[in-house]
Amino acid sequence: AYGCTLRHRMSQRTPSLLQMMEVRDNRDPLNISLGNPDLRQMTTNLISLGFDMSNKQRWHDLNLSAYYTTHSHAVAMSSVYDPQTGVRTTRPVNVDGNYELGATAYYGLPLDRKKSLWLSFDLSGNYYHSVDMQRSSTSGKPAIEADATRSIVHTRQMVGKTAVRYDFHGVNLNYAFKADLRNILTQSQPSTTVTDLSNQLEISYVLPWNINTKASCNVITRLGYTDRSMNRSVVLCGLSASRDFG
């Protein structure tokens, strides 16, 4: 069986009332917040394409999808810092140029005739083009009149996951390995690449009186972060039991 879908969705979001009020919050003289009554609605357009293929005889499943999203008039916080006075002024403004796109692929199949052992693969790639606003100011020049500078962040992400599921006499065994790789590039900072790795094992079984038990263990490894305290491995384990009286 085959299937193909094409979708388009548009949504709008109005800025908050506080953002649109023409007020000046100077309770902290070194950090001043301004409102912006000229803010416009943010409009999001999403286009997605999907393809599905299922082989009922061999129980093979294939799913492919792709999407493209644009955000018009997105609300960003403009920040103006005056080095002569030490005052930082923030104000919400509309920016254009924010968009993202990506694609995913999934394939799953049984490894034995009894359909008790399953293997699946997930792979996705995404790109995020994020626009923010930075301003420079000199002493004596109002923050809202300072020259605006667009700040662009390029984020590329690749996520891969392999999972194995085994069902044997009521015992469900699940193992999954996941790798999340992100590359972040800004105009003012060098390129940074961070990696998150996950190895998760989960065992579940239904005891008499319909008591659901589950034991899990997950080893998470983080690499490449600027904060070196995050570049480490942690082990998370859990055990739970529950019963539904409904």
Side-chain angles (χ1 to χ4, degrees):
Y2 300 89
C4 188
T5 59
L6 177 62
R7 294 187 176 94
H8 172 261
R9 185 178 64 190
M10 184 185 73
S11 61
Q12 290 185 321
R13 186 173 65 186
T14 303
S16 68
L17 181 62
L18 184 60
Q19 291 176 326
M20 299 185 67
M21 292 178 62
E22 194 169 4
V23 296
R24 179 186 179 93
D25 184 356
N26 57 1
R27 288 174 294 181
D28 183 351
L30 296 180
N31 293 279
I32 300 175
S33 299
L34 303 176
N36 186 356
D38 297 325
L39 287 176
R40 302 171 62 181
Q41 283 187 334
M42 183 180 75
T43 301
T44 299
N45 283 281
L46 168 64
I47 299 176
S48 62
L49 176 66
F51 173 77
D52 298 292
M53 183 184 71
S54 178
N55 187 322
K56 295 183 178 180
Q57 295 181 346
R58 303 181 61 184
W59 292 72
H60 289 202
D61 291 321
L62 174 66
N63 177 270
L64 304 173
S65 63
Y67 76 94
Y68 176 67
T69 305
T70 61
H71 306 282
S72 302
H73 311 308
V75 177
M77 294 304 296
S78 170
S79 177
V80 182
Y81 177 72
D82 190 334
Q84 298 188 31
T85 62
V87 176
R88 183 179 299 277
T89 305
T90 57
R91 183 172 186 256
V93 295
N94 288 119
V95 295
D96 288 320
N98 287 280
Y99 66 88
E100 58 190 81
L101 54 92
T104 62
Y106 168 84
Y107 184 65
L109 73 161
L111 298 180
D112 63 341
R113 294 183 178 180
K114 295 182 179 181
K115 311 296 188 300
S116 59
L117 182 61
W118 290 78
L119 178 65
S120 64
F121 302 94
D122 280 283
L123 181 64
S124 65
N126 300 278
Y127 171 73
Y128 304 92
H129 186 272
S130 306
V131 179
D132 207 340
M133 193 68 70
Q134 294 180 348
R135 297 170 184 254
S136 58
S137 177
T138 58
S139 181
K141 190 174 184 179
I144 59 175
E145 296 180 5
D147 296 331
T149 302
R150 288 164 61 92
S151 174
I152 301 176
V153 179
H154 306 271
T155 304
R156 302 169 180 86
Q157 182 182 34
M158 289 291 296
V159 180
K161 179 180 178 182
T162 301
V164 179
R165 188 181 82 240
Y166 182 57
D167 301 325
F168 180 74
H169 296 295
V171 178
N172 298 317
L173 177 65
N174 294 275
Y175 169 76
F177 171 76
K178 182 179 179 181
D180 187 340
L181 177 67
R182 294 183 302 277
N183 177 263
I184 303 170
L185 176 63
T186 66
Q187 294 173 311
S188 57
Q189 299 291 334
S191 175
T192 301
T193 300
V194 297
T195 304
D196 292 343
L197 304 176
S198 172
N199 286 274
Q200 184 173 16
L201 178 64
E202 182 179 284
I203 303 174
S204 60
Y205 183 71
V206 180
L207 295 173
W209 301 292
N210 291 325
I211 299 177
N212 300 297
T213 61
K214 182 171 66 174
S216 62
C217 185
N218 191 5
V219 180
I220 301 174
T221 302
R222 297 186 176 94
L223 304 169
Y225 286 86
T226 304
D227 185 353
R228 294 185 178 181
S229 63
M230 297 184 64
N231 297 321
R232 60 193 181 99
S233 296
V234 296
V235 180
L236 304 176
C237 296
L239 180 64
S240 64
S242 63
R243 187 179 187 277
D244 187 5
F245 292 93

